[in-house]
Amino acid sequence: MSDAKMICDVEILQPHSLLPKPEAPPGLLDSPSVKNDIVLDHLPLENFSVDIPAIGKFIRERSNSFSAAIAKKLSSFKENLDEPKSPAMSEFNISGLRVVVKLKNDDNKKDKEVIKGRISFFSRSNCRDCTAVRQFFREKGLKFVEINIDVYPRREKELVERTGSSSVPQIFFNEKLFGGLVALNSLRNSGDFDRRLREMVASKCPDDAPSPPVYGFDDDPEEEEESTEEIVWIVRVLRQRLPIQDRLMKMKIVKNCFAGCEMVEALIHHLDCGRKKAVQIGKQLAKKHFIHHVFGENDFEDGNHFYRFLEHEPFFPNASTSGDRQMMISPSLQPKRSVDYIGISNSEEFRRYVNLTQGLHRINLVDLTTEQRLAFFLNLYNAMVIHAVIRSGSPEGIMDRKFFSEFQYIVGGHPYSLSTIKNGIIRNNRRPPYSLVKPFGSGDNRLELVLPKVNPLIHFGLCDGTKSSPTVKFFSPQGIETELRTAAREFFQGIGMEVDLDKRTVHLTRIIKWFSSDFGQEKEILKWLMSYLNATKAGLLSHLLSDGGPVSISYKDYD
């Protein structure tokens, strides 16, 4: 087609009569005399023509102008970025397009540039001031290093050397001692914390600052005595050389055992000593609970008597062939009523605790006072409950054998379950609920650790890992009686007791019914309770007891 124009039939859809008529873009009509305001529906359809070159020219011009506008604006935007004072937000408009660019906030960048050093503080478990310091740093979004001297006891010496005392919390900005919670609150209230922080932590942390704790190194126990190290070496040699195997004895299979004469021969061969000396070493290993007779019949004798290493006993394996460490349970695990078992299981303190339980199997408890023994076993019970829940789940009831009887620690060379601790040691070897048998029979070596009398308050210091049990607490030998009274008061002021005046009924925890032998006659229990109630409950109970009417006792369902 030689002409630059093309005539085509175009079907035009006419808009509604009330709508504005579309205007023809310039250059699209065949006649240059036609103005932009000519309405399309005035054109004869048969004469309507399209100028193709005009369309291309129109598109190129509009595209070039559009690209030039974007390039111009982006260029000016780049120039603005190079200026020292740029606005936090830049905005520019192009016909048909709106571009908004948000500049990066420099505040976070400045914070990162400021904190080049290290914030660290020494703490202890169950320290409210330490919790407040930890929470403050977290709210500020600041990274910090916490050195818990209950988890890492060897760092306490460093704390004393740096601060002159063992009190916590003690905060350090790099190597500089800042102070405790009082100093932190003072600086926070003055509004000068950020400036002081920039001054003290703006430089890289020097080598003489408190170092972050390293698990497996900072918590290593102190070096064992030379004699104990020698025993440990002997035990390790014996474990490799003795024929440890399962044997049939007394119509039952006894696992992982060896004969006394086999151990004597191994000692003679590897220590190049006489038989008498080897037997003495065997007795020493038995005395320190490295080995046990499989039926508990003797300590150690030469001959065809069978023994096994403590870690091969069919109990929970908190035993090892490490040194003879003396370990007392301390309150390193202190949850409240709502226990975060997952959080505890993932914590550094729990890892430390599990390692420390290995030191329990050769601990000497015989020389402890009554108060020390009571505090020790109360704390051990509560810590074991947390461990048992993490390991096997919450108890299904008071008779859950797997939870209360099968989960065991070896303490002082003997196995202890939750049931034997509560009923055997703390309750003076009394039968547990729904049982006809005492925990310890006659001749049981654990009888020498049984507490001389039952204190009914112990039931409010023991947590069973259930909602209806008392909250987890830990106790000190010095204040054990006062702490138990406080625990009982908190329990009865909470979920342990309710008074219904209309029905003249007192609703008590089922713990009292289960262990009624520890509390005495039912009619005396209400008078005993008066010392542990708040003013409101004490007033209601006093009113019921004083008017001469009958009072009923109902026991709550145990959750």
mmCIF file of all heavy atoms in Angstrom, residues 299-335:
data_model
loop_
_atom_site.group_PDB
_atom_site.id
_atom_site.type_symbol
_atom_site.label_atom_id
_atom_site.label_comp_id
_atom_site.label_asym_id
_atom_site.label_seq_id
_atom_site.Cartn_x
_atom_site.Cartn_y
_atom_site.Cartn_z
ATOM 1 N N ASP A 299 29.818 -55.965 102.075
ATOM 2 C CA ASP A 299 30.544 -54.854 101.469
ATOM 3 C C ASP A 299 31.441 -55.367 100.347
ATOM 4 O O ASP A 299 31.223 -55.060 99.177
ATOM 5 C CB ASP A 299 31.361 -54.108 102.524
ATOM 6 C CG ASP A 299 30.456 -53.372 103.506
ATOM 7 O OD1 ASP A 299 29.324 -53.026 103.110
ATOM 8 O OD2 ASP A 299 30.873 -53.164 104.656
ATOM 9 N N PHE A 300 32.468 -56.125 100.707
ATOM 10 C CA PHE A 300 33.307 -56.760 99.687
ATOM 11 C C PHE A 300 34.071 -57.916 100.330
ATOM 12 O O PHE A 300 34.649 -57.783 101.407
ATOM 13 C CB PHE A 300 34.301 -55.781 99.074
ATOM 14 C CG PHE A 300 35.153 -56.418 98.022
ATOM 15 C CD1 PHE A 300 34.653 -56.637 96.745
ATOM 16 C CD2 PHE A 300 36.441 -56.843 98.308
ATOM 17 C CE1 PHE A 300 35.433 -57.264 95.773
ATOM 18 C CE2 PHE A 300 37.231 -57.458 97.346
ATOM 19 C CZ PHE A 300 36.721 -57.670 96.073
ATOM 20 N N GLU A 301 34.057 -59.027 99.629
ATOM 21 C CA GLU A 301 34.800 -60.208 100.078
ATOM 22 C C GLU A 301 35.414 -60.902 98.868
ATOM 23 O O GLU A 301 34.854 -60.875 97.773
ATOM 24 C CB GLU A 301 33.892 -61.193 100.817
ATOM 25 C CG GLU A 301 33.368 -60.675 102.143
ATOM 26 C CD GLU A 301 32.490 -61.686 102.857
ATOM 27 O OE1 GLU A 301 32.493 -62.870 102.431
ATOM 28 O OE2 GLU A 301 31.810 -61.297 103.817
ATOM 29 N N ASP A 302 36.558 -61.513 99.106
ATOM 30 C CA ASP A 302 37.196 -62.322 98.074
ATOM 31 C C ASP A 302 36.397 -63.614 97.892
ATOM 32 O O ASP A 302 35.751 -64.089 98.821
ATOM 33 C CB ASP A 302 38.630 -62.637 98.502
ATOM 34 C CG ASP A 302 39.462 -63.211 97.360
ATOM 35 O OD1 ASP A 302 38.904 -63.348 96.246
ATOM 36 O OD2 ASP A 302 40.643 -63.523 97.594
ATOM 37 N N GLY A 303 36.411 -64.153 96.706
ATOM 38 C CA GLY A 303 35.717 -65.410 96.484
ATOM 39 C C GLY A 303 34.608 -65.277 95.454
ATOM 40 O O GLY A 303 34.591 -64.346 94.636
ATOM 41 N N ASN A 304 33.657 -66.183 95.525
ATOM 42 C CA ASN A 304 32.602 -66.267 94.523
ATOM 43 C C ASN A 304 31.377 -65.436 94.938
ATOM 44 O O ASN A 304 30.245 -65.927 94.952
ATOM 45 C CB ASN A 304 32.200 -67.725 94.303
ATOM 46 C CG ASN A 304 31.473 -67.918 92.983
ATOM 47 O OD1 ASN A 304 31.695 -67.172 92.030
ATOM 48 N ND2 ASN A 304 30.610 -68.924 92.935
ATOM 49 N N HIS A 305 31.639 -64.194 95.289
ATOM 50 C CA HIS A 305 30.568 -63.235 95.591
ATOM 51 C C HIS A 305 30.513 -62.249 94.427
ATOM 52 O O HIS A 305 31.557 -61.829 93.915
ATOM 53 C CB HIS A 305 30.850 -62.493 96.900
ATOM 54 C CG HIS A 305 31.060 -63.398 98.079
ATOM 55 N ND1 HIS A 305 30.027 -63.947 98.787
ATOM 56 C CD2 HIS A 305 32.202 -63.860 98.668
ATOM 57 C CE1 HIS A 305 30.489 -64.698 99.767
ATOM 58 N NE2 HIS A 305 31.831 -64.666 99.711
ATOM 59 N N PHE A 306 29.290 -61.849 94.069
ATOM 60 C CA PHE A 306 29.146 -61.061 92.844
ATOM 61 C C PHE A 306 28.786 -59.599 93.147
ATOM 62 O O PHE A 306 27.954 -59.309 94.023
ATOM 63 C CB PHE A 306 28.097 -61.696 91.934
ATOM 64 C CG PHE A 306 28.571 -62.992 91.345
ATOM 65 C CD1 PHE A 306 28.311 -64.202 91.985
ATOM 66 C CD2 PHE A 306 29.313 -62.988 90.172
ATOM 67 C CE1 PHE A 306 28.769 -65.392 91.453
ATOM 68 C CE2 PHE A 306 29.768 -64.174 89.631
ATOM 69 C CZ PHE A 306 29.502 -65.380 90.271
ATOM 70 N N TYR A 307 29.409 -58.721 92.363
ATOM 71 C CA TYR A 307 29.267 -57.280 92.558
ATOM 72 C C TYR A 307 29.061 -56.616 91.200
ATOM 73 O O TYR A 307 29.272 -57.216 90.152
ATOM 74 C CB TYR A 307 30.522 -56.701 93.234
ATOM 75 C CG TYR A 307 30.871 -57.389 94.536
ATOM 76 C CD1 TYR A 307 31.667 -58.543 94.549
ATOM 77 C CD2 TYR A 307 30.396 -56.898 95.742
ATOM 78 C CE1 TYR A 307 31.973 -59.191 95.736
ATOM 79 C CE2 TYR A 307 30.703 -57.536 96.941
ATOM 80 C CZ TYR A 307 31.487 -58.684 96.926
ATOM 81 O OH TYR A 307 31.787 -59.324 98.101
ATOM 82 N N ARG A 308 28.682 -55.374 91.251
ATOM 83 C CA ARG A 308 28.619 -54.579 90.023
ATOM 84 C C ARG A 308 28.893 -53.118 90.363
ATOM 85 O O ARG A 308 28.747 -52.677 91.507
ATOM 86 C CB ARG A 308 27.281 -54.733 89.316
ATOM 87 C CG ARG A 308 26.071 -54.288 90.091
ATOM 88 C CD ARG A 308 24.810 -54.524 89.281
ATOM 89 N NE ARG A 308 23.632 -54.598 90.130
ATOM 90 C CZ ARG A 308 22.581 -55.364 89.871
ATOM 91 N NH1 ARG A 308 22.563 -56.127 88.791
ATOM 92 N NH2 ARG A 308 21.548 -55.385 90.681
ATOM 93 N N PHE A 309 29.317 -52.385 89.343
ATOM 94 C CA PHE A 309 29.574 -50.961 89.522
ATOM 95 C C PHE A 309 28.255 -50.216 89.716
ATOM 96 O O PHE A 309 27.209 -50.626 89.198
ATOM 97 C CB PHE A 309 30.322 -50.390 88.313
ATOM 98 C CG PHE A 309 31.736 -50.869 88.218
ATOM 99 C CD1 PHE A 309 32.105 -51.827 87.280
ATOM 100 C CD2 PHE A 309 32.701 -50.384 89.075
ATOM 101 C CE1 PHE A 309 33.405 -52.283 87.195
ATOM 102 C CE2 PHE A 309 34.015 -50.829 88.995
ATOM 103 C CZ PHE A 309 34.374 -51.786 88.065
ATOM 104 N N LEU A 310 28.349 -49.146 90.439
ATOM 105 C CA LEU A 310 27.142 -48.398 90.804
ATOM 106 C C LEU A 310 26.373 -47.912 89.579
ATOM 107 O O LEU A 310 25.144 -47.914 89.558
ATOM 108 C CB LEU A 310 27.533 -47.200 91.683
ATOM 109 C CG LEU A 310 26.385 -46.510 92.417
ATOM 110 C CD1 LEU A 310 25.694 -47.467 93.364
ATOM 111 C CD2 LEU A 310 26.897 -45.306 93.174
ATOM 112 N N GLU A 311 27.100 -47.516 88.528
ATOM 113 C CA GLU A 311 26.417 -47.015 87.338
ATOM 114 C C GLU A 311 25.689 -48.117 86.585
ATOM 115 O O GLU A 311 24.909 -47.835 85.672
ATOM 116 C CB GLU A 311 27.387 -46.305 86.400
ATOM 117 C CG GLU A 311 28.564 -47.141 85.960
ATOM 118 C CD GLU A 311 29.771 -46.943 86.851
ATOM 119 O OE1 GLU A 311 29.585 -46.647 88.059
ATOM 120 O OE2 GLU A 311 30.890 -47.066 86.359
ATOM 121 N N HIS A 312 25.918 -49.368 86.951
ATOM 122 C CA HIS A 312 25.202 -50.482 86.334
ATOM 123 C C HIS A 312 23.985 -50.916 87.143
ATOM 124 O O HIS A 312 23.291 -51.854 86.758
ATOM 125 C CB HIS A 312 26.136 -51.683 86.161
ATOM 126 C CG HIS A 312 27.191 -51.466 85.126
ATOM 127 N ND1 HIS A 312 28.379 -52.153 85.102
ATOM 128 C CD2 HIS A 312 27.235 -50.603 84.079
ATOM 129 C CE1 HIS A 312 29.119 -51.733 84.078
ATOM 130 N NE2 HIS A 312 28.443 -50.797 83.455
ATOM 131 N N GLU A 313 23.738 -50.234 88.272
ATOM 132 C CA GLU A 313 22.545 -50.561 89.045
ATOM 133 C C GLU A 313 21.305 -50.194 88.236
ATOM 134 O O GLU A 313 21.323 -49.245 87.446
ATOM 135 C CB GLU A 313 22.544 -49.777 90.370
ATOM 136 C CG GLU A 313 23.664 -50.168 91.326
ATOM 137 C CD GLU A 313 23.361 -51.462 92.070
ATOM 138 O OE1 GLU A 313 22.343 -52.102 91.770
ATOM 139 O OE2 GLU A 313 24.167 -51.835 92.952
ATOM 140 N N PRO A 314 20.201 -50.938 88.430
ATOM 141 C CA PRO A 314 18.990 -50.683 87.643
ATOM 142 C C PRO A 314 18.192 -49.497 88.163
ATOM 143 O O PRO A 314 16.989 -49.595 88.397
ATOM 144 C CB PRO A 314 18.207 -51.995 87.805
ATOM 145 C CG PRO A 314 18.603 -52.489 89.151
ATOM 146 C CD PRO A 314 20.047 -52.122 89.313
ATOM 147 N N PHE A 315 18.858 -48.378 88.365
ATOM 148 C CA PHE A 315 18.190 -47.167 88.818
ATOM 149 C C PHE A 315 18.422 -46.078 87.786
ATOM 150 O O PHE A 315 19.108 -46.273 86.785
ATOM 151 C CB PHE A 315 18.728 -46.719 90.179
ATOM 152 C CG PHE A 315 18.794 -47.834 91.198
ATOM 153 C CD1 PHE A 315 19.977 -48.135 91.836
ATOM 154 C CD2 PHE A 315 17.652 -48.580 91.495
ATOM 155 C CE1 PHE A 315 20.037 -49.155 92.756
ATOM 156 C CE2 PHE A 315 17.718 -49.600 92.420
ATOM 157 C CZ PHE A 315 18.911 -49.897 93.052
ATOM 158 N N PHE A 316 17.850 -44.906 88.063
ATOM 159 C CA PHE A 316 18.115 -43.784 87.165
ATOM 160 C C PHE A 316 19.606 -43.478 87.185
ATOM 161 O O PHE A 316 20.207 -43.322 88.253
ATOM 162 C CB PHE A 316 17.333 -42.541 87.603
ATOM 163 C CG PHE A 316 17.575 -41.371 86.709
ATOM 164 C CD1 PHE A 316 16.980 -41.306 85.472
ATOM 165 C CD2 PHE A 316 18.430 -40.343 87.086
ATOM 166 C CE1 PHE A 316 17.218 -40.243 84.630
ATOM 167 C CE2 PHE A 316 18.668 -39.282 86.252
ATOM 168 C CZ PHE A 316 18.048 -39.230 85.016
ATOM 169 N N PRO A 317 20.262 -43.407 86.022
ATOM 170 C CA PRO A 317 21.729 -43.320 85.975
ATOM 171 C C PRO A 317 22.264 -41.929 86.284
ATOM 172 O O PRO A 317 22.708 -41.214 85.414
ATOM 173 C CB PRO A 317 22.044 -43.715 84.532
ATOM 174 C CG PRO A 317 20.844 -43.280 83.758
ATOM 175 C CD PRO A 317 19.675 -43.470 84.669
ATOM 176 N N ASN A 318 22.214 -41.549 87.566
ATOM 177 C CA ASN A 318 22.877 -40.305 87.923
ATOM 178 C C ASN A 318 24.234 -40.597 88.533
ATOM 179 O O ASN A 318 24.802 -39.794 89.244
ATOM 180 C CB ASN A 318 22.034 -39.494 88.921
ATOM 181 C CG ASN A 318 21.957 -40.154 90.290
ATOM 182 O OD1 ASN A 318 21.712 -41.339 90.384
ATOM 183 N ND2 ASN A 318 22.140 -39.371 91.340
ATOM 184 N N ALA A 319 24.753 -41.805 88.257
ATOM 185 C CA ALA A 319 26.053 -42.197 88.782
ATOM 186 C C ALA A 319 27.098 -42.185 87.688
ATOM 187 O O ALA A 319 26.797 -42.344 86.519
ATOM 188 C CB ALA A 319 25.971 -43.590 89.384
ATOM 189 N N SER A 320 28.360 -41.988 88.071
ATOM 190 C CA SER A 320 29.476 -42.046 87.132
ATOM 191 C C SER A 320 30.724 -42.428 87.890
ATOM 192 O O SER A 320 30.718 -42.555 89.107
ATOM 193 C CB SER A 320 29.673 -40.689 86.445
ATOM 194 O OG SER A 320 30.227 -39.760 87.356
ATOM 195 N N THR A 321 31.820 -42.597 87.192
ATOM 196 C CA THR A 321 33.078 -42.926 87.841
ATOM 197 C C THR A 321 33.914 -41.688 88.075
ATOM 198 O O THR A 321 35.126 -41.733 88.122
ATOM 199 C CB THR A 321 33.876 -43.916 86.970
ATOM 200 O OG1 THR A 321 34.035 -43.348 85.670
ATOM 201 C CG2 THR A 321 33.174 -45.230 86.853
ATOM 202 N N SER A 322 33.272 -40.548 88.217
ATOM 203 C CA SER A 322 34.015 -39.321 88.509
ATOM 204 C C SER A 322 34.462 -39.344 89.956
ATOM 205 O O SER A 322 34.180 -40.269 90.705
ATOM 206 C CB SER A 322 33.137 -38.098 88.238
ATOM 207 O OG SER A 322 31.984 -38.140 89.046
ATOM 208 N N GLY A 323 35.123 -38.291 90.371
ATOM 209 C CA GLY A 323 35.696 -38.251 91.705
ATOM 210 C C GLY A 323 34.654 -38.186 92.796
ATOM 211 O O GLY A 323 33.466 -38.044 92.571
ATOM 212 N N ASP A 324 35.104 -38.289 94.045
ATOM 213 C CA ASP A 324 34.230 -38.313 95.208
ATOM 214 C C ASP A 324 33.866 -36.880 95.589
ATOM 215 O O ASP A 324 34.513 -36.254 96.405
ATOM 216 C CB ASP A 324 34.952 -39.000 96.367
ATOM 217 C CG ASP A 324 34.057 -39.147 97.577
ATOM 218 O OD1 ASP A 324 32.840 -38.936 97.432
ATOM 219 O OD2 ASP A 324 34.585 -39.468 98.651
ATOM 220 N N ARG A 325 32.812 -36.364 94.986
ATOM 221 C CA ARG A 325 32.455 -34.962 95.189
ATOM 222 C C ARG A 325 31.334 -34.861 96.210
ATOM 223 O O ARG A 325 30.371 -35.618 96.192
ATOM 224 C CB ARG A 325 32.002 -34.331 93.866
ATOM 225 C CG ARG A 325 33.098 -34.253 92.838
ATOM 226 C CD ARG A 325 32.547 -33.912 91.482
ATOM 227 N NE ARG A 325 31.732 -32.716 91.513
ATOM 228 C CZ ARG A 325 30.987 -32.303 90.500
ATOM 229 N NH1 ARG A 325 30.950 -32.993 89.389
ATOM 230 N NH2 ARG A 325 30.282 -31.197 90.596
ATOM 231 N N GLN A 326 31.451 -33.907 97.104
ATOM 232 C CA GLN A 326 30.408 -33.651 98.090
ATOM 233 C C GLN A 326 29.520 -32.537 97.548
ATOM 234 O O GLN A 326 29.976 -31.430 97.291
ATOM 235 C CB GLN A 326 31.029 -33.230 99.426
ATOM 236 C CG GLN A 326 31.945 -34.276 100.017
ATOM 237 C CD GLN A 326 31.189 -35.534 100.385
ATOM 238 O OE1 GLN A 326 30.138 -35.481 100.978
ATOM 239 N NE2 GLN A 326 31.739 -36.676 100.004
ATOM 240 N N MET A 327 28.244 -32.841 97.360
ATOM 241 C CA MET A 327 27.350 -31.880 96.708
ATOM 242 C C MET A 327 26.085 -31.745 97.522
ATOM 243 O O MET A 327 25.472 -32.727 97.892
ATOM 244 C CB MET A 327 27.015 -32.351 95.287
ATOM 245 C CG MET A 327 26.406 -31.283 94.404
ATOM 246 S SD MET A 327 24.649 -31.115 94.591
ATOM 247 C CE MET A 327 24.073 -32.564 93.756
ATOM 248 N N MET A 328 25.705 -30.507 97.824
ATOM 249 C CA MET A 328 24.441 -30.243 98.486
ATOM 250 C C MET A 328 23.498 -29.584 97.496
ATOM 251 O O MET A 328 23.896 -28.700 96.739
ATOM 252 C CB MET A 328 24.648 -29.307 99.687
ATOM 253 C CG MET A 328 25.414 -29.943 100.833
ATOM 254 S SD MET A 328 24.519 -31.296 101.594
ATOM 255 C CE MET A 328 23.203 -30.395 102.389
ATOM 256 N N ILE A 329 22.243 -30.025 97.477
ATOM 257 C CA ILE A 329 21.258 -29.438 96.576
ATOM 258 C C ILE A 329 21.036 -27.988 96.967
ATOM 259 O O ILE A 329 20.712 -27.679 98.103
ATOM 260 C CB ILE A 329 19.935 -30.208 96.651
ATOM 261 C CG1 ILE A 329 20.130 -31.611 96.105
ATOM 262 C CG2 ILE A 329 18.843 -29.491 95.878
ATOM 263 C CD1 ILE A 329 20.414 -31.661 94.628
ATOM 264 N N SER A 330 21.213 -27.082 96.022
ATOM 265 C CA SER A 330 20.968 -25.662 96.252
ATOM 266 C C SER A 330 19.832 -25.213 95.358
ATOM 267 O O SER A 330 19.527 -25.847 94.363
ATOM 268 C CB SER A 330 22.233 -24.847 95.940
ATOM 269 O OG SER A 330 22.576 -24.999 94.583
ATOM 270 N N PRO A 331 19.187 -24.089 95.694
ATOM 271 C CA PRO A 331 18.023 -23.645 94.916
ATOM 272 C C PRO A 331 18.414 -23.045 93.584
ATOM 273 O O PRO A 331 18.223 -21.869 93.334
ATOM 274 C CB PRO A 331 17.384 -22.601 95.843
ATOM 275 C CG PRO A 331 18.509 -22.064 96.655
ATOM 276 C CD PRO A 331 19.443 -23.213 96.850
ATOM 277 N N SER A 332 18.994 -23.841 92.704
ATOM 278 C CA SER A 332 19.356 -23.324 91.391
ATOM 279 C C SER A 332 18.215 -23.411 90.399
ATOM 280 O O SER A 332 18.311 -22.877 89.306
ATOM 281 C CB SER A 332 20.558 -24.098 90.842
ATOM 282 O OG SER A 332 20.241 -25.465 90.729
ATOM 283 N N LEU A 333 17.123 -24.110 90.777
ATOM 284 C CA LEU A 333 15.941 -24.176 89.934
ATOM 285 C C LEU A 333 14.784 -23.626 90.751
ATOM 286 O O LEU A 333 14.383 -24.229 91.724
ATOM 287 C CB LEU A 333 15.643 -25.625 89.522
ATOM 288 C CG LEU A 333 16.774 -26.358 88.814
ATOM 289 C CD1 LEU A 333 16.414 -27.822 88.643
ATOM 290 C CD2 LEU A 333 17.055 -25.739 87.474
ATOM 291 N N GLN A 334 14.242 -22.472 90.380
ATOM 292 C CA GLN A 334 13.226 -21.833 91.203
ATOM 293 C C GLN A 334 12.068 -21.351 90.356
ATOM 294 O O GLN A 334 11.885 -20.164 90.141
ATOM 295 C CB GLN A 334 13.834 -20.641 91.963
ATOM 296 C CG GLN A 334 12.863 -19.898 92.882
ATOM 297 C CD GLN A 334 12.444 -20.706 94.081
ATOM 298 O OE1 GLN A 334 13.245 -21.393 94.659
ATOM 299 N NE2 GLN A 334 11.209 -20.618 94.465
ATOM 300 N N PRO A 335 11.235 -22.256 89.823
ATOM 301 C CA PRO A 335 10.042 -21.811 89.139
ATOM 302 C C PRO A 335 8.945 -21.446 90.119
ATOM 303 O O PRO A 335 9.045 -21.722 91.310
ATOM 304 C CB PRO A 335 9.650 -23.035 88.316
ATOM 305 C CG PRO A 335 10.145 -24.172 89.122
ATOM 306 C CD PRO A 335 11.394 -23.697 89.804
#
